[in-house]
Amino acid sequence: MTSSLVSPRQAHRARGISIIGAGHVGLVTAACFAELGHRVTCMDIDANRINDLRHGVMPFHEPGLPELVERHAPERLTFTTEYEEAVRGADFVFLAVATPTTAFGTPDLQYVRAAARDVARAVNGKRPFLVSKSTAPVGITDTLESVLTSEANGHGPLQVVANPEFLREGTAVRDFLKPDRVVIGSPHAEASEAVGELYEPLGAPIIYTDIKTAEMVKYASNAFLATKISFINEIAEICERVGADVRDVARGMSLDKRIGKHFLNAGIGFGGSCLPKDVKALSHLAAVYGSHPQLLNAVLEINLEQRRRLIARLRDMLGSLRQAKIGLFGLAFKPETDDVRDAPALDLIRMLEYEEATIRACDPAAADAARIVFPTLHVEADPYEAAQDADAIIIATEWQQFKDIDLARLRQVMRTPIIADGRNVINGDEARRLGFVYFGIGLPDETTVRNARRVVA
Ligand code: UDX
């Protein structure tokens, strides 16, 4: 699959590349640069992770990644826990360490700063370009340059480049090798051109700009995607009230080329390691600089409200959620990943637990990750087991397994046949024919249509 993404005639000068951080971004970047013909060392301070990678064991699920690692390790792709080993002889050092959100809602920069300091201390002789891929507040790459200069070990400052990533989980390998664009920000022309050369074989447009603008492109892109989702979710609520169908509204909108068809699926909102974190960080950054980011704040509020509204509708239907048995279909923040970071399902679990409902969850990939957050969470491998004697099921992630669910069989095992479709993937007409009470997000049902008539009549 991945071998067809880059053609052999695109081979070029092999460079020494070091990637600091073997997370989603770091590991995919490392494997893809190896695929492009470079000598890559991927470094992480997590010894277990590095040991696993040396034995071909992936730390997370990402289609196409195991094949690339297998193809290139250990000849072109090596793994280490040592900064000296990673940085020695490298032409480029990419920083791809985590920037988790603090309790205050701001990105935690301690790992990026520590990594920059340790890279600077490890440099010996040859001076690599330092390329920041970590998403962190606008201006951070500039401050890294001063960290690097003060820690430069007598070898002179390193030239710094901001090169944001736009990798989606589940399609990250393809996104790297077939990017829509590459963004490179640096005041150093030599460094910018050198980084640009690494990406040239991919044939994508390359935007050369300054550091802050490059960092801002990343935040603005994710904020816009999040805004599209919250926009369609707000439209969905209006659709419910007037008795319209948001799926057709989105389809009708998307044929306008200026709008486009992506990110217009209404549901219980966005999650994951990037969108929620980046919108919060941008909103905070704006406020710190004296701006009042009303739209960004509304995007976040609408997103949370999607979860609250689904729970409220269920509560209305059941009278109370206390001791109600809920089958929760989906834990991952989206299908084809085992990642539950900021997953909508986690918010649903917190809300359901608060109301003392009993939850039986089911997810084809994310059960272990969810149990780290909720150690006592009851997770079934089989959705029909999760739905056994349930008063309602909630669809939180649109896994194929749930799209293909046998509704007649589901009806038989449930105590109260209610489906709350948080991703609009079930055929509502068929569900109703089988005796379910079904509701989706922004879809007309008897109640909404009746209410709408009342308003205009
Ligand atoms: C995102 C960006 O797309 C990527 O460019 C960036 O670099 C990292 O963050 P990712 O977090 O992998 O990628 O997820 P994405 O595919 O963007 O989906 C994010 C969330 O939005 C998911 O929870 C998904 O379910 C939700 N979503 C997406 C919707 O609710 N509706 C949509 O129409 C699309």
Side-chain angles (χ1 to χ4, degrees):
M1 179 197 84
T2 46
S3 57
S4 61
L5 290 172
V6 182
S7 77
R9 67 193 155 74
Q10 288 167 333
H12 49 86
R13 190 156 63 113
R15 309 297 302 267
I17 298 178
S18 161
I19 311 281
I20 309 299
H24 262 100
V25 173
L27 194 52
V28 169
T29 303
C32 289
F33 274 136
E35 174 76 357
L36 290 172
H38 301 290
R39 300 179 312 278
V40 183
T41 305
C42 186
M43 182 269 165
D44 201 293
I45 52 174
D46 182 340
N48 290 335
R49 178 168 289 213
I50 291 301
N51 193 38
D52 281 350
L53 283 165
R54 284 182 179 142
H55 292 92
V57 178
M58 296 298 116
F60 47 78
H61 173 75
E62 186 60 52
L65 184 63
E67 292 85 341
L68 284 191
V69 172
E70 192 187 333
R71 190 179 311 157
H72 299 301
E75 289 77 22
R76 265 193 241 157
L77 176 60
T78 53
F79 298 100
T80 181
T81 53
E82 302 299 325
Y83 275 98
E84 283 76 15
E85 192 184 333
V87 171
R88 195 190 315 130
D91 300 299
F92 302 86
V93 176
F94 281 74
L95 280 191
V97 295
T99 51
T101 306
T102 62
F104 194 49
T106 52
D108 186 346
L109 302 176
Q110 58 169 320
Y111 306 108
V112 179
R113 291 203 176 103
R117 185 197 59 216
D118 290 340
V119 166
R121 287 179 184 167
V123 169
N124 194 353
K126 187 170 180 179
R127 282 185 302 148
F129 298 119
L130 189 107
V131 190
S132 173
K133 276 216 167 280
S134 299
T135 303
V138 173
I140 184 73
T141 312
D142 276 337
T143 69
L144 290 184
E145 186 148 321
S146 54
V147 171
L148 291 164
T149 305
S150 64
E151 299 285 346
N153 216 3
H155 297 288
L158 301 186
Q159 296 190 356
V160 173
V161 179
N163 171 222
E165 54 84 18
F166 303 98
L167 309 177
R168 287 164 298 175
E169 286 182 30
T171 54
V173 170
R174 172 166 281 274
D175 288 347
F176 188 99
L177 295 172
K178 292 264 180 213
D180 289 340
R181 79 305 208 181
V182 172
V183 178
I184 294 172
S186 180
H188 312 292
E190 186 196 351
S192 287
E193 278 164 31
V195 175
E197 270 174 29
L198 295 177
Y199 289 101
E200 258 163 28
L202 304 178
I206 300 180
I207 295 173
Y208 292 97
T209 182
D210 59 87
I211 284 181
K212 287 183 179 163
T213 307
E215 292 169 324
M216 197 64 195
V217 171
K218 166 70 193 230
Y219 273 124
S221 299
N222 273 357
F224 186 70
L225 293 172
T227 303
K228 275 186 104 174
I229 298 170
S230 281
F231 175 84
I232 200 66
N233 281 334
E234 183 152 297
I235 295 294
E237 196 197 338
I238 303 171
C239 284
E240 274 171 30
R241 289 179 191 273
V242 301
D245 186 327
V246 74
R247 293 167 302 187
D248 287 344
V249 172
R251 211 170 301 140
M253 288 167 62
S254 68
L255 292 173
D256 185 327
K257 290 188 184 62
R258 294 168 302 175
I259 296 174
K261 64 177 189 228
H262 300 290
F263 279 65
L264 287 179
N265 293 324
I268 49 171
F270 56 82
S273 66
C274 289
L275 259 48
K277 173 170 80 90
D278 290 354
V279 181
K280 274 184 212 148
L282 185 57
S283 162
H284 180 81
L285 187 82
V288 167
Y289 277 84
S291 244
H292 181 34
Q294 302 170 68
L295 179 61
L296 299 178
N297 293 339
V299 166
L300 292 168
E301 178 54 27
I302 291 167
N303 199 45
L304 193 54
E305 191 62 18
Q306 292 307 106
R307 280 81 131 158
R308 289 195 204 112
R309 289 188 66 242
L310 182 136
I311 295 294
R313 287 182 80 175
L314 263 188
R315 189 193 306 116
D316 284 350
M317 281 177 181
L318 290 167
S320 160
L321 288 170
R322 190 150 184 270
Q323 290 175 357
K325 288 188 175 171
I326 308 294
L328 180 61
F329 284 15
L331 294 165
F333 81 95
K334 67 175 186 180
E336 305 308 328
T337 175
D338 54 3
D339 195 341
V340 298
R341 284 176 289 176
D342 267 326
L346 301 195
D347 285 335
L348 297 178
I349 293 172
R350 287 183 193 107
M351 291 174 194
L352 290 167
E353 286 190 340
Y354 178 74
E355 303 207 23
E356 296 182 47
T358 307
I359 306 165
R360 275 186 179 191
C362 175
D363 190 288
D368 290 345
R371 278 206 204 91
I372 293 172
V373 188
F374 299 104
T376 58
L377 184 69
H378 186 128
V379 189
E380 296 282 355
D382 175 18
Y384 303 98
E385 283 294 323
Q388 187 72 44
D389 296 326
D391 295 303
I393 63 149
I394 301 175
I395 302 195
T397 316
E398 64 274 37
W399 285 100
Q400 194 61 42
Q401 188 184 14
F402 305 144
K403 291 183 183 174
D404 295 340
I405 200 91
D406 179 341
L407 289 173
R409 194 174 154 200
L410 194 66
R411 173 76 184 82
Q412 275 172 4
V413 300
M414 289 177 69
R415 185 164 68 185
T416 321
I418 298 178
I419 299 178
D421 187 355
R423 294 295 179 186
N424 289 350
V425 290
I426 298 288
N427 182 332
D429 291 339
E430 194 195 339
R432 289 193 189 101
R433 246 194 328 274
L434 288 164
F436 282 99
V437 175
Y438 169 88
F439 72 89
I441 310 292
L443 311 183
D445 61 32
E446 281 166 24
T447 326
T448 57
V449 171
R450 203 170 42 240
N451 287 346
R453 275 201 214 103
R454 262 214 319 267
V455 172
V456 289

